[in-house]
Amino acid sequence: MAAKKLCDRISKELAEEVQKWGCMKQTGVSLRHMMDFGSTASPRNLLISAQFLHKELPIRIARRAIELENLPYGLSSKPAVLKVRDWYLDSFRDIRSYPEIKNKNDELAFTQMVKLIKVRHNNVVPMMALGVQQLKKDWPKVDYEDLREIHQFLDRFYMSRIGIRMLIGQHVALHDPNPPPNCVGYIHTKMSPLEVARTASEDARGICLREYGSAPDVNIYGDPDFTFPYVPTHLHMMVFELVKNSVRAVQERFMDSDKVAPPIRIIVADGLEDVTIKVSDEGGGIPRSGLPKIFTYLYSTARNPLDEHFTTTDVATSSTLAGYGYGIPVSRLYARYFGGDLQIISMEGYGTDAYLHLSRLGDSQEPLS
């Protein structure tokens, strides 16, 4: 079925190859494996890494291309989704047409190519968001319960994207001749969660200041000397998203009040298995009926930037994902990618607590589907 649909738009040979590779078994890696392997970025290890990507990436990309062809409710035929599917097909074609990697020169040229592939896919999340918006315009009465299948697809799709970007990014970063201290590619072996929480909070407050003219304080508690191995960019993105939601809720709740806006509290706890980061606010909370919706891709309390002036070409000019309704579900996927999780508990009329669990052991395999 999928092969036939693909054949309508691309050559029969390519459609068959996508089908073939999409049926192959994926190979998951863990944070610890990436760290151990990358700690010696010797030419031999870089060659092995490139050979692994040469075989692994087409499998992962083909699976997503096939899925993009077979989405329910006509989502596959939306212009934004077709564009994303074409990016995946182009990337599959580029990697499959690349000859075997045998020496350092092959490896360096391959690395340049996958770098470009990563850039090609930069706008996948907002572009898929636009596709879902195009669907919602056609089905204005559709409820998020009806779209369970689409939510499950988007969870798989974005989780796979996190993995693909992590593998490419890690491989490319290992080529840095002067890596920052304690860094193995994307992984910081002695990352301070307090430090990352501080910069992410400042970034989130900066957005709030720009939008409202003021922003609540953020107080951070925990051991300033505590470090563990993790990917700082992932943690920054998750904490930024949680704090951004909290400062917005508090700011809007206390904007016209005589009371001083209460600070957001971030607590970092270092357990034996998990590092847990709690973000607490007094922004009024979320009604219990709304809680299941916050982990779906069709729900946001912010105004939707895509409804205003976004087109398929300039969809990614926005610096933040506020309003797509994507920040929280995508943050949970980032947490789960390395064996963690994200939970949100709310008291309507008071505030919200978000618990971000990160696996301290780093030995859980990527979740692949």
Side-chain angles (χ1 to χ4, degrees):
M1 165 73 174
K4 183 182 180 307
K5 284 172 80 174
L6 277 169
C7 280
D8 295 343
R9 300 192 187 94
I10 59 174
S11 75
K12 187 167 179 288
E13 290 75 22
L14 182 61
E16 282 170 0
E17 197 167 3
V18 167
Q19 281 297 312
K20 186 182 97 178
W21 281 78
C23 294
M24 292 184 193
K25 190 176 182 302
Q26 301 170 97
T27 307
V29 293
S30 67
L31 181 78
R32 183 161 300 286
H33 172 80
M34 283 191 230
M35 202 163 69
D36 294 346
F37 181 84
S39 56
T40 0
S42 61
R44 182 176 173 273
N45 272 10
L46 291 173
L47 190 63
I48 292 167
S49 171
Q51 288 164 344
F52 170 71
L53 290 188
H54 192 235
K55 182 173 189 306
E56 182 66 16
L57 291 177
I59 299 174
R60 297 193 185 196
I61 290 169
R63 281 179 175 236
R64 302 292 71 95
I66 292 165
E67 261 202 311
L68 283 164
E69 274 292 321
N70 291 286
L71 299 175
Y73 303 102
L75 183 57
S76 291
S77 59
K78 296 292 169 243
V81 177
L82 288 171
K83 203 173 183 63
V84 172
R85 191 218 52 192
D86 288 346
W87 290 339
Y88 275 75
L89 289 174
D90 288 346
S91 298
F92 177 83
R93 198 187 279 115
D94 287 351
I95 299 171
R96 284 298 301 133
S97 57
Y98 196 89
E100 210 181 322
I101 301 163
K102 293 177 177 167
N103 55 42
K104 190 180 175 183
N105 286 345
D106 295 347
E107 188 273 317
L108 287 172
F110 177 77
T111 301
Q112 286 309 311
M113 183 190 70
V114 291
K115 226 180 185 168
L116 294 173
I117 285 176
K118 187 165 179 274
V119 171
R120 174 188 288 149
H121 290 249
N122 276 353
N123 298 341
V124 160
V125 175
M127 194 59 84
M128 284 303 292
L130 185 60
V132 173
Q133 291 302 329
Q134 289 166 346
L135 179 73
K136 277 173 81 179
K137 280 205 167 72
D138 294 350
W139 296 62
K141 293 282 183 286
V142 80
D143 186 66
Y144 85 99
E145 277 293 331
D146 300 334
L147 297 179
R148 193 175 291 275
E149 235 181 302
I150 286 178
H151 292 303
Q152 288 168 349
F153 155 72
L154 288 170
D155 267 346
R156 285 194 305 275
F157 184 74
Y158 292 134
M159 183 65 93
S160 165
R161 180 174 184 270
I162 291 168
I164 289 169
R165 294 180 80 74
M166 181 68 202
L167 291 181
I168 294 177
Q170 182 67 3
H171 175 77
V172 169
L174 289 175
H175 288 75
D176 185 347
N178 302 303
N182 303 313
C183 283
V184 176
Y186 270 8
I187 303 161
H188 195 308
T189 59
K190 292 183 176 170
M191 184 195 75
S192 160
L194 253 76
E195 202 43 57
V196 176
R198 192 168 289 118
T199 54
S201 300
E202 282 311 308
D203 289 351
R205 286 187 77 245
I207 284 185
C208 188
L209 280 164
R210 275 206 305 279
E211 216 162 294
Y212 299 99
S214 64
D217 288 340
V218 178
N219 297 337
I220 304 175
Y221 307 89
D223 177 359
D225 298 325
F226 167 62
T227 64
F228 77 114
Y230 204 71
V231 179
T233 50
H234 287 194
L235 182 58
H236 184 284
M237 184 244 145
M238 293 183 280
V239 175
F240 168 76
E241 196 54 51
L242 295 172
V243 175
K244 177 163 64 73
N245 288 346
S246 286
V247 291
R248 185 166 64 85
V250 170
Q251 186 63 29
E252 289 185 354
R253 189 182 188 203
F254 287 87
M255 209 153 36
D256 303 320
S257 160
D258 300 337
K259 295 178 186 164
V260 175
I264 282 90
R265 291 162 56 86
I266 299 179
I267 299 159
V268 179
D270 45 314
L272 291 175
E273 290 182 15
D274 276 4
V275 176
T276 305
I277 298 173
K278 179 166 97 160
V279 179
S280 288
D281 68 59
E282 294 173 41
I286 302 159
R288 207 149 49 97
S289 62
L291 269 176
K293 295 180 186 171
I294 63 175
F295 284 112
T296 73
Y297 296 94
L298 300 172
Y299 176 80
S300 174
T301 51
R303 71 174 188 278
N304 192 326
L306 298 174
D307 286 345
E308 292 162 26
H309 52 265
F310 275 57
T311 67
T312 324
T313 45
D314 67 10
V315 69
T317 51
S318 173
S319 62
T320 167
L321 284 180
Y324 297 134
Y326 272 38
I328 293 294
V330 168
S331 294
R332 182 166 69 172
L333 296 180
Y334 271 94
R336 288 178 172 176
Y337 178 69
F338 283 129
D341 209 352
L342 172 61
Q343 293 169 305
I344 291 181
I345 296 165
S346 192
M347 292 169 73
E348 189 184 5
Y350 181 74
T352 302
D353 289 349
Y355 291 85
L356 182 57
H357 303 280
L358 310 170
S359 170
R360 189 171 175 172
L361 309 173
D363 53 5
S364 82
Q365 293 281 93
E366 297 174 276
L368 299 171
S369 60

